[in-house]
Amino acid sequence: MKTLVEFVWEQQENVKYATGEFSRLLNDIGIAAKIVNRDVNRAGLAGILGFEGSVNVQGENQKKLDVLANNEFIKALRSGKQCAAIISEENDDVVIFDDETTRNAKYIVALDPLDGSSNIEVNVPIGTIFAIYKRKSVGTTVTREDVLQAGTELVCGGYIIYGSSTMLVYTTGNGVNGFTYDPTCGLFVLSHENIKIGDVGGIYSINEANYIYFPEGVKKYIKYCQEDDPETNRPYTTRYIGSLVSDFHRNLLRGGIYIYPGTLKNPQGKLRLMYECVPMAFLAEQAGGKASDGFSRILDIQPEDIHQRCPLFIGSKAMVEKVEELMAAHSSDFRK
Ligand code: AHG
Ligand code: MN
Ligand code: MN
């Protein structure tokens, strides 16, 4: 039995000049995850379901648990002292920890504290998504360059799924590993070692209710998924939960593709580049899959704004390539 803490330290031992700071940071994320897991499990009893009564920077009504999860992660990362600043879906601006110790911290964390929060009340799996970057400058105030880094600079990407069991899945660029939470002893234990996603899967996940607003390439791909072709195991099957973490996690383990495209109404789609698309893209690539905005690699995109949105096509490599081919052939890219 190997715990998350042991695994992280072991991995870091192989990293030249490792100081233990990254290990401590990841452990702080694990601690916050346990607290949020407890709150999510007890939400119906603790009076923390429903809306907070506030609106976040993206104009979304915040749920009580959105705010609570955000506070727990910020608290854990602030007291852990390895993180100089946080980008969060629930904070308009970058949260900068400007005290004596954390000013010199090496890392920046981008966070979706609670993903899929529309599903909170109905006991459907929800999650937390995180991305860890190393600062470009240290010892000074956090700069724009520290914060707005492309996915290629990512040090770590991961998520926690609060599902039928709670799991933490992460990568540092050396494969993807999953840890299941054992509530009886309060430990995340390595349960899914070196996860790989099949090249082609049998699942496609997309909110088809938006069909009439989709680009032509996406419409064609949906029809392709529905065609009868026993040789390629089509028609595929549809699975769509409406929590990116849950949809991604299932497709990672089973093989499949998740799409949230740009639409006529929202040319940049819905998902946020820095704390939804990029960490998931890193995980997908590390598992042997692919992540694209329909035309190019997610990890190559240079962010201009911490809350910017981005279309997402992610999962099994051959499936992403197929939809990219159709996007190119029927180019109705709403972003241009
Ligand atoms: P969040 O709860 O963090 O705002 O994210 C919700 C996202 C994502 O998790 C999910 O895949 C997507 O919204 C679902 O959107 P639709 O309801 O438009 O399908
Ligand atoms: Mn989200
Ligand atoms: Mn969220």
Side-chain angles (χ1 to χ4, degrees):
M1 174 169 131
K2 188 167 287 174
T3 67
L4 174 67
V5 177
E6 286 165 349
F7 186 87
V8 173
W9 280 102
E10 244 177 58
Q11 294 278 305
Q12 289 303 105
E13 269 169 21
N14 304 323
V15 177
K16 244 186 180 172
Y17 313 120
T19 58
E21 288 156 286
F22 174 77
S23 305
R24 281 196 285 271
L25 176 63
L26 208 51
N27 291 330
D28 293 335
I29 290 178
I31 291 167
K34 289 180 200 177
I35 296 169
V36 173
N37 176 62
R38 181 203 61 196
D39 293 343
V40 164
N41 278 204
R42 297 184 57 251
L45 299 171
I48 45 177
L49 291 179
F51 290 98
E52 176 76 11
S54 46
V55 174
N56 69 14
V57 69
Q58 9 245 325
E60 298 160 346
N61 287 311
Q62 290 175 306
K63 294 274 179 89
K64 287 180 186 166
L65 273 171
D66 282 324
V67 176
L68 207 130
N70 192 39
N71 291 342
E72 292 301 353
F73 274 93
I74 293 178
K75 211 164 35 173
L77 292 170
R78 187 194 295 273
S79 59
K81 298 201 181 296
Q82 309 308 324
C83 166
I86 294 179
I87 301 158
S88 165
E89 179 187 353
E90 307 306 338
N91 292 93
D92 302 7
D93 299 316
V94 182
V95 179
I96 298 176
F97 301 144
D98 202 11
D99 60 64
E100 275 314 309
T101 330
T102 32
R103 188 171 303 141
N104 294 313
K106 277 190 202 153
Y107 297 100
I108 305 274
V109 176
L111 201 61
D112 179 353
L114 213 61
D115 173 69
S117 48
S118 67
N119 284 321
I120 287 172
E121 280 80 16
V122 290
N123 265 352
V124 167
I126 50 183
T128 295
I129 310 173
F130 59 92
I132 304 176
Y133 294 89
K134 203 172 219 169
R135 282 179 67 183
K136 299 282 178 193
S137 68
V138 176
T140 58
T141 317
V142 171
T143 63
R144 191 181 151 83
E145 286 66 41
D146 289 337
V147 172
L148 293 176
Q149 297 191 44
T152 43
E153 305 289 309
L154 210 56
V155 173
C156 173
Y159 61 82
I160 299 120
I161 176 167
Y162 312 102
S164 43
S165 69
T166 290
M167 277 186 72
L168 188 151
V169 178
Y170 85 95
T171 181
T172 52
N174 192 18
V176 178
N177 293 284
F179 301 80
T180 301
Y181 183 59
D182 183 344
T184 59
C185 54
L187 296 170
F188 280 104
V189 180
L190 181 61
S191 53
H192 296 59
E193 207 171 344
N194 198 16
I195 300 171
K196 291 289 171 208
I197 186 169
D199 218 28
V200 193
I203 300 171
Y204 72 103
S205 311
I206 185 165
N207 188 345
E208 234 168 302
N210 297 323
Y211 187 85
I212 56 164
Y213 306 118
F214 286 160
E216 202 46 41
V218 171
K219 288 181 176 170
K220 287 271 187 307
Y221 184 68
I222 291 172
K223 291 300 160 209
Y224 169 86
C225 293
Q226 297 170 344
E227 274 166 20
D228 177 56
D229 182 30
E231 227 165 74
T232 54
N233 283 323
R234 284 179 292 149
Y236 299 146
T237 193
T238 306
R239 291 286 182 272
Y240 189 76
I241 294 171
S243 305
L244 171 63
V245 168
S246 317
D247 282 308
F248 178 83
H249 183 72
R250 181 204 51 242
N251 292 359
L252 179 67
L253 298 185
R254 293 269 162 86
I257 185 168
Y258 173 95
I259 303 175
Y260 208 111
T263 63
L264 264 179
K265 280 185 171 172
N266 300 304
Q268 293 296 334
K270 176 182 184 188
L271 302 175
R272 278 58 54 107
L273 177 66
M274 292 199 71
Y275 42 83
E276 291 182 317
C277 302
V278 161
M280 292 312 208
F282 195 27
L283 286 159
E285 287 194 4
Q286 283 297 313
K290 197 167 176 175
S292 147
D293 67 355
F295 300 94
S296 39
R297 189 178 176 223
I298 293 283
L299 295 183
D300 285 334
I301 301 171
Q302 172 59 48
E304 303 292 335
D305 181 273
I306 57 170
H307 296 297
Q308 97 187 41
R309 296 176 195 265
C310 181
L312 182 64
F313 298 69
I314 190 166
S316 294
K317 193 159 177 273
M319 296 176 96
V320 175
E321 281 167 0
K322 179 69 192 172
V323 64
E324 277 184 327
E325 177 194 313
L326 293 169
M327 287 291 280
H330 304 274
S331 190
S332 54
D333 181 1
F334 301 129
R335 295 165 305 162
K336 287 170 190 155

